[in-house]
Amino acid sequence: NIKEIIAYYKSPLGKKVTQAGIEAMNPDVQAQMLRFMADLPANPPSSERVSTIKSFVSELKLVESVEDMFNEMLLFLNAEIGKNKKLSDADIEQLMSVMSQAFEEQMFISSLYVYRDISNKELQEVIAFYKSDAGENELKHVKKAMNQMFKSGFKRALAK
């Protein structure tokens, strides 16, 4: 699996997708994405592009990853606050339900913007990689690492 993951990231497509992700962390991206979203009604993506991006978001489990991180943050913060301010399990479940739709929309728009220079065919290749055993294992471990990073980060922040 590790050899396959390394080969993917060393491939031209792996490098291209990684670079798009790195560029998405640029501080200017939020403003650029807002301009991109404002232009969408006048220049909507094709139905094929919409379908490809939805498949990309779904197959890479982007919404689930964001939901898991948000849920971990909520549970952690809920455990750290006073008893009279705690959210009930039902409140957390309701909040997560409301946020799920927002996360889905955000992941779609973000992916539409971030991967705008990557073709549908290339995104299908990315999806195929993440459907492989190596890709699935990478997603599982990255998700676990991100959740742990959030937990550790919040513990350190609250300790200060």
Side-chain angles (χ1 to χ4, degrees):
N1 281 343
I2 291 173
K3 286 180 183 179
E4 288 178 40
I5 293 167
I6 291 170
Y8 167 75
Y9 282 103
K10 285 186 173 184
S11 74
L13 179 58
K15 289 177 182 178
K16 187 175 183 179
V17 170
T18 300
Q19 186 60 40
I22 290 169
E23 289 171 7
M25 291 184 240
N26 184 320
D28 303 348
V29 165
Q30 194 65 29
Q32 293 168 6
M33 193 178 325
L34 289 173
R35 284 191 293 278
F36 176 81
M37 288 171 54
D39 289 342
L40 280 177
N43 189 18
S46 68
S47 60
E48 180 185 3
R49 185 62 173 183
V50 168
S51 177
T52 300
I53 292 294
K54 284 183 176 182
S55 179
F56 178 83
V57 169
S58 174
E59 293 296 336
L60 273 69
K61 299 175 178 62
L62 299 180
V63 175
E64 292 89 342
S65 294
V66 172
E67 286 174 339
D68 286 348
M69 287 185 276
F70 185 77
N71 191 48
E72 286 295 331
M73 178 189 71
L74 261 179
L75 293 174
F76 178 76
L77 292 174
N78 205 39
E80 295 296 319
I81 62 174
K83 290 186 187 236
N84 60 340
K85 295 180 182 178
K86 286 189 189 281
L87 295 173
S88 69
D89 289 346
D91 289 339
I92 290 175
E93 190 175 319
Q94 182 179 9
L95 179 59
M96 287 303 298
S97 177
V98 169
M99 293 303 296
S100 181
Q101 180 65 32
F103 292 147
E104 191 171 332
E105 290 172 12
Q106 185 60 44
M107 288 296 96
F108 174 77
I109 293 292
S110 295
S111 296
L112 197 59
Y113 175 76
V114 170
Y115 303 109
R116 67 195 177 284
D117 296 328
I118 299 175
S119 72
N120 290 339
K121 182 180 180 288
E122 289 171 318
L123 286 177
Q124 291 296 343
E125 290 175 33
V126 173
I127 292 167
F129 169 73
Y130 283 104
K131 282 184 168 182
S132 72
D133 286 342
E136 285 182 359
N137 277 324
E138 182 193 5
L139 285 177
K140 179 178 75 174
H141 290 292
V142 167
K143 181 179 169 182
K144 187 175 177 182
M146 292 295 289
N147 283 339
Q148 186 59 45
M149 183 180 73
F150 265 97
K151 284 180 187 178
S152 297
F154 282 114
K155 283 180 184 177
R156 284 193 310 271
L158 288 174
K160 290 184 178 184

